[in-house]
Amino acid sequence: MLIKSSFRFGILSLFLFVVSTSASYGQEWAQKMFDKDKIDFGVIARGSDAEFRLKIKNIYKDPVHISNVRTTCGCSAAEPSKNILESGEEGYVQVTMDTKRFQRRKDSNVIVTIDAPQYAEIRIPITAYIRTDVVFTPGAANFGSVEIGKGAETTVALGYAGREDWAITGIESKNSSLTAKAVETSRAGGRVNYNLVLTLAPGTPLGPIREQIMLSTNDVNFKSVPLLVEAKVESDITITPQVVSLGMMVPGQEKTVNVVLRGKKPFEINKIECESDDEAFKIRMPKASQPIHVLPLTITPPNKPGDYSEEFTVTIAGRGEPIVFKAFGKISDTKTN
């Protein structure tokens, strides 16, 4: 009986070890896809937009499916940018703190559950200290959509309640296109008010902006206060799709795809040129000035099997810089009859 019991105990121990090792490996496998193992918001103002993007990259061959994202405290919330990440694809979990209903030190966790290609549950600690004496209105500096070359300005009000001599001593921005200044508007009875005037330079490059500026203060306990800044610098004319997919093509067999140019105001297209000398494309030129142009591109693929690409230059009346876009496809080695 003793030998049988020992044998059964050994088998049970081996089974538990295998299960534990597999679970541990699963957690480690998933953890490697996250760029952070903790989220620290630091010291933030009451009413501010406190957001953090926890980046995830699928570094494996199989698709990764995020089945659930949740937090362990009502002071925080989380949502994935997408639920399926293909091999090599990146995404993020947007984590936000509720700075309007909650104050002082708050600790939470964001829990990301993955159920494919295997199960794992990743727990990322969250911490923040929400100040009760500093309030931003609105909670972030959001420029919205800004046309390239135009620049923009926005204002956020800061209110402080506490010391009579409290002051902003400096503002740090890591983006050379973004500047800010603090204009004191009132000071009385331990209350201090500022207008934070933020300026986006006309030379700001295309694309989204999402970062924090840091306000330095003379407060010995909390020397700095972050403010979220967001903007999207867009061209006056956008093109959809930015990269045209021609798919698989057969030599001599016509294929037509549409490209849409959309402007903030009516514009006229002067000419459209191709980079190569293939003369494979025919483009129906629009004649009128209008805010949206649909360009049908008809290609008769040359007898050049393999990958095929073309670059187009669109000259706009009265616009110094042309619009450039590319088309990619593949030509089969099968000819039409």
Side-chain angles (χ1 to χ4, degrees), residues 12-27:
L12 177 61
S13 299
L14 178 60
F15 173 76
L16 292 175
F17 173 77
V18 170
V19 170
S20 174
T21 302
S22 299
S24 174
Y25 174 76
Q27 297 294 108

Side-chain angles (χ1 to χ4, degrees), residues 219-267:
D219 192 322
V220 294
N221 295 317
F222 303 117
K223 295 183 178 180
S224 61
V225 184
L227 174 66
L228 179 65
V229 180
E230 293 183 297
K232 187 176 182 181
V233 181
E234 298 180 328
S235 173
D236 57 332
I237 300 175
T238 58
I239 185 164
T240 306
Q242 293 181 334
V243 177
V244 180
S245 175
L246 301 173
M248 180 63 74
M249 300 176 289
V250 177
Q253 183 173 308
E254 283 190 355
K255 174 179 281 192
T256 300
V257 293
N258 288 332
V259 175
V260 180
L261 273 68
R262 185 176 281 103
K264 296 182 180 296
K265 58 184 180 181
F267 63 97

Side-chain angles (χ1 to χ4, degrees), residues 7 13-14 23 26 51 77 115 120 156 173 218 291:
F7 178 75
S13 299
L14 178 60
E51 302 174 353
D115 61 3
V156 174
S173 171
N218 61 354

Side-chain angles (χ1 to χ4, degrees), residues 256 258 269 272 281-287 293-298:
T256 300
N258 288 332
I269 297 176
I272 303 175
F281 282 90
K282 293 179 182 178
I283 305 171
R284 195 191 323 160
M285 286 282 293
K287 297 178 180 179
H293 293 274
V294 179
L295 304 179
L297 307 181
T298 300

Side-chain angles (χ1 to χ4, degrees), residues 137-158:
T137 308
N142 195 331
F143 289 93
S145 296
V146 179
E147 186 178 325
I148 189 167
K150 294 293 183 69
E153 186 175 282
T154 190
T155 301
V156 174
L158 180 151

